[in-house]
PDB file of all heavy atoms in Angstrom:
ATOM      1  N   PRO J  40     -19.418  23.647   0.518  1.00 93.00           N
ATOM      2  CA  PRO J  40     -18.392  23.554   1.564  1.00 93.00           C
ATOM      3  C   PRO J  40     -17.160  22.756   1.142  1.00 93.00           C
ATOM      4  O   PRO J  40     -16.036  23.098   1.509  1.00 93.00           O
ATOM      5  CB  PRO J  40     -19.109  22.873   2.723  1.00 93.00           C
ATOM      6  CG  PRO J  40     -20.537  23.148   2.498  1.00 93.00           C
ATOM      7  CD  PRO J  40     -20.713  23.188   1.011  1.00 93.00           C
ATOM      8  N   LEU J  41     -17.367  21.692   0.360  1.00 94.00           N
ATOM      9  CA  LEU J  41     -16.238  20.885  -0.114  1.00 94.00           C
ATOM     10  C   LEU J  41     -15.308  21.730  -0.979  1.00 94.00           C
ATOM     11  O   LEU J  41     -14.088  21.731  -0.771  1.00 94.00           O
ATOM     12  CB  LEU J  41     -16.733  19.674  -0.898  1.00 94.00           C
ATOM     13  CG  LEU J  41     -15.634  18.785  -1.485  1.00 94.00           C
ATOM     14  CD1 LEU J  41     -14.940  18.003  -0.379  1.00 94.00           C
ATOM     15  CD2 LEU J  41     -16.205  17.848  -2.519  1.00 94.00           C
ATOM     16  N   ILE J  42     -15.871  22.471  -1.928  1.00 95.00           N
ATOM     17  CA  ILE J  42     -15.053  23.303  -2.806  1.00 95.00           C
ATOM     18  C   ILE J  42     -14.384  24.423  -2.022  1.00 95.00           C
ATOM     19  O   ILE J  42     -13.206  24.714  -2.219  1.00 95.00           O
ATOM     20  CB  ILE J  42     -15.912  23.857  -3.966  1.00 95.00           C
ATOM     21  CG1 ILE J  42     -16.312  22.711  -4.899  1.00 95.00           C
ATOM     22  CG2 ILE J  42     -15.165  24.939  -4.736  1.00 95.00           C
ATOM     23  CD1 ILE J  42     -17.304  23.095  -5.971  1.00 95.00           C
ATOM     24  N   ARG J  43     -15.119  25.032  -1.074  1.00 95.00           N
ATOM     25  CA  ARG J  43     -14.544  26.113  -0.263  1.00 95.00           C
ATOM     26  C   ARG J  43     -13.346  25.615   0.546  1.00 95.00           C
ATOM     27  O   ARG J  43     -12.282  26.235   0.566  1.00 95.00           O
ATOM     28  CB  ARG J  43     -15.606  26.697   0.669  1.00 95.00           C
ATOM     29  CG  ARG J  43     -15.073  27.830   1.553  1.00 95.00           C
ATOM     30  CD  ARG J  43     -16.125  28.353   2.518  1.00 95.00           C
ATOM     31  NE  ARG J  43     -16.859  27.327   3.240  1.00 95.00           N
ATOM     32  CZ  ARG J  43     -16.399  26.694   4.313  1.00 95.00           C
ATOM     33  NH1 ARG J  43     -15.199  26.951   4.786  1.00 95.00           N
ATOM     34  NH2 ARG J  43     -17.135  25.787   4.919  1.00 95.00           N
ATOM     35  N   MET J  44     -13.503  24.458   1.191  1.00 94.00           N
ATOM     36  CA  MET J  44     -12.407  23.921   1.993  1.00 94.00           C
ATOM     37  C   MET J  44     -11.238  23.478   1.122  1.00 94.00           C
ATOM     38  O   MET J  44     -10.083  23.652   1.506  1.00 94.00           O
ATOM     39  CB  MET J  44     -12.901  22.767   2.857  1.00 94.00           C
ATOM     40  CG  MET J  44     -13.774  23.221   3.996  1.00 94.00           C
ATOM     41  SD  MET J  44     -14.194  21.910   5.149  1.00 94.00           S
ATOM     42  CE  MET J  44     -15.363  20.974   4.181  1.00 94.00           C
ATOM     43  N   ALA J  45     -11.531  22.919  -0.051  1.00 95.00           N
ATOM     44  CA  ALA J  45     -10.458  22.509  -0.961  1.00 95.00           C
ATOM     45  C   ALA J  45      -9.669  23.730  -1.437  1.00 95.00           C
ATOM     46  O   ALA J  45      -8.443  23.674  -1.553  1.00 95.00           O
ATOM     47  CB  ALA J  45     -11.024  21.747  -2.149  1.00 95.00           C
ATOM     48  N   LYS J  46     -10.359  24.834  -1.693  1.00 96.00           N
ATOM     49  CA  LYS J  46      -9.661  26.060  -2.091  1.00 96.00           C
ATOM     50  C   LYS J  46      -8.822  26.605  -0.941  1.00 96.00           C
ATOM     51  O   LYS J  46      -7.698  27.058  -1.150  1.00 96.00           O
ATOM     52  CB  LYS J  46     -10.662  27.106  -2.564  1.00 96.00           C
ATOM     53  CG  LYS J  46     -11.233  26.806  -3.938  1.00 96.00           C
ATOM     54  CD  LYS J  46     -12.221  27.879  -4.385  1.00 96.00           C
ATOM     55  CE  LYS J  46     -12.769  27.577  -5.762  1.00 96.00           C
ATOM     56  NZ  LYS J  46     -13.739  28.588  -6.214  1.00 96.00           N
ATOM     57  N   GLU J  47      -9.366  26.571   0.286  1.00 94.00           N
ATOM     58  CA  GLU J  47      -8.602  27.019   1.463  1.00 94.00           C
ATOM     59  C   GLU J  47      -7.345  26.179   1.643  1.00 94.00           C
ATOM     60  O   GLU J  47      -6.302  26.690   2.039  1.00 94.00           O
ATOM     61  CB  GLU J  47      -9.454  26.920   2.725  1.00 94.00           C
ATOM     62  CG  GLU J  47     -10.535  27.956   2.841  1.00 94.00           C
ATOM     63  CD  GLU J  47     -11.426  27.731   4.060  1.00 94.00           C
ATOM     64  OE1 GLU J  47     -11.099  26.858   4.906  1.00 94.00           O
ATOM     65  OE2 GLU J  47     -12.450  28.422   4.153  1.00 94.00           O
ATOM     66  N   ALA J  48      -7.448  24.899   1.349  1.00 94.00           N
ATOM     67  CA  ALA J  48      -6.315  23.986   1.519  1.00 94.00           C
ATOM     68  C   ALA J  48      -5.299  24.107   0.391  1.00 94.00           C
ATOM     69  O   ALA J  48      -4.180  23.641   0.521  1.00 94.00           O
ATOM     70  CB  ALA J  48      -6.831  22.545   1.579  1.00 94.00           C
ATOM     71  N   GLY J  49      -5.700  24.748  -0.718  1.00 95.00           N
ATOM     72  CA  GLY J  49      -4.814  24.821  -1.876  1.00 95.00           C
ATOM     73  C   GLY J  49      -4.811  23.522  -2.667  1.00 95.00           C
ATOM     74  O   GLY J  49      -3.863  23.225  -3.392  1.00 95.00           O
ATOM     75  N   ALA J  50      -5.889  22.757  -2.529  1.00 95.00           N
ATOM     76  CA  ALA J  50      -5.977  21.451  -3.175  1.00 95.00           C
ATOM     77  C   ALA J  50      -6.936  21.446  -4.357  1.00 95.00           C
ATOM     78  O   ALA J  50      -7.178  20.407  -4.942  1.00 95.00           O
ATOM     79  CB  ALA J  50      -6.432  20.409  -2.151  1.00 95.00           C
ATOM     80  N   PHE J  51      -7.497  22.581  -4.719  1.00 96.00           N
ATOM     81  CA  PHE J  51      -8.502  22.672  -5.780  1.00 96.00           C
ATOM     82  C   PHE J  51      -7.846  23.094  -7.078  1.00 96.00           C
ATOM     83  O   PHE J  51      -7.152  24.109  -7.125  1.00 96.00           O
ATOM     84  CB  PHE J  51      -9.584  23.689  -5.383  1.00 96.00           C
ATOM     85  CG  PHE J  51     -10.767  23.716  -6.305  1.00 96.00           C
ATOM     86  CD1 PHE J  51     -11.739  22.748  -6.224  1.00 96.00           C
ATOM     87  CD2 PHE J  51     -10.899  24.717  -7.246  1.00 96.00           C
ATOM     88  CE1 PHE J  51     -12.837  22.775  -7.060  1.00 96.00           C
ATOM     89  CE2 PHE J  51     -11.989  24.752  -8.088  1.00 96.00           C
ATOM     90  CZ  PHE J  51     -12.963  23.782  -7.991  1.00 96.00           C
ATOM     91  N   TYR J  52      -8.044  22.302  -8.119  1.00 95.00           N
ATOM     92  CA  TYR J  52      -7.462  22.591  -9.427  1.00 95.00           C
ATOM     93  C   TYR J  52      -8.580  22.638 -10.464  1.00 95.00           C
ATOM     94  O   TYR J  52      -9.441  21.761 -10.487  1.00 95.00           O
ATOM     95  CB  TYR J  52      -6.451  21.515  -9.826  1.00 95.00           C
ATOM     96  CG  TYR J  52      -5.285  21.444  -8.883  1.00 95.00           C
ATOM     97  CD1 TYR J  52      -5.296  20.576  -7.795  1.00 95.00           C
ATOM     98  CD2 TYR J  52      -4.182  22.258  -9.062  1.00 95.00           C
ATOM     99  CE1 TYR J  52      -4.225  20.514  -6.925  1.00 95.00           C
ATOM    100  CE2 TYR J  52      -3.105  22.193  -8.193  1.00 95.00           C
ATOM    101  CZ  TYR J  52      -3.140  21.326  -7.126  1.00 95.00           C
ATOM    102  OH  TYR J  52      -2.093  21.269  -6.261  1.00 95.00           O
ATOM    103  N   LYS J  53      -8.556  23.645 -11.314  1.00 93.00           N
ATOM    104  CA  LYS J  53      -9.547  23.762 -12.378  1.00 93.00           C
ATOM    105  C   LYS J  53      -8.828  24.064 -13.682  1.00 93.00           C
ATOM    106  O   LYS J  53      -8.082  25.029 -13.785  1.00 93.00           O
ATOM    107  CB  LYS J  53     -10.541  24.875 -12.062  1.00 93.00           C
ATOM    108  CG  LYS J  53     -11.667  24.954 -13.056  1.00 93.00           C
ATOM    109  CD  LYS J  53     -12.753  25.890 -12.596  1.00 93.00           C
ATOM    110  CE  LYS J  53     -13.894  25.847 -13.589  1.00 93.00           C
ATOM    111  NZ  LYS J  53     -15.024  26.639 -13.157  1.00 93.00           N
ATOM    112  N   ILE J  54      -9.061  23.213 -14.668  1.00 90.00           N
ATOM    113  CA  ILE J  54      -8.500  23.404 -16.002  1.00 90.00           C
ATOM    114  C   ILE J  54      -9.683  23.371 -16.961  1.00 90.00           C
ATOM    115  O   ILE J  54     -10.277  22.312 -17.193  1.00 90.00           O
ATOM    116  CB  ILE J  54      -7.491  22.300 -16.364  1.00 90.00           C
ATOM    117  CG1 ILE J  54      -6.363  22.270 -15.341  1.00 90.00           C
ATOM    118  CG2 ILE J  54      -6.951  22.501 -17.767  1.00 90.00           C
ATOM    119  CD1 ILE J  54      -5.440  21.093 -15.462  1.00 90.00           C
TER     120      ILE J  54
END
Side-chain angles (χ1 to χ4, degrees):
L41 178 72
I42 291 172
R43 180 183 47 80
M44 288 187 287
K46 286 181 179 179
E47 287 175 9
F51 188 78
Y52 298 92
K53 186 170 184 175
I54 302 170

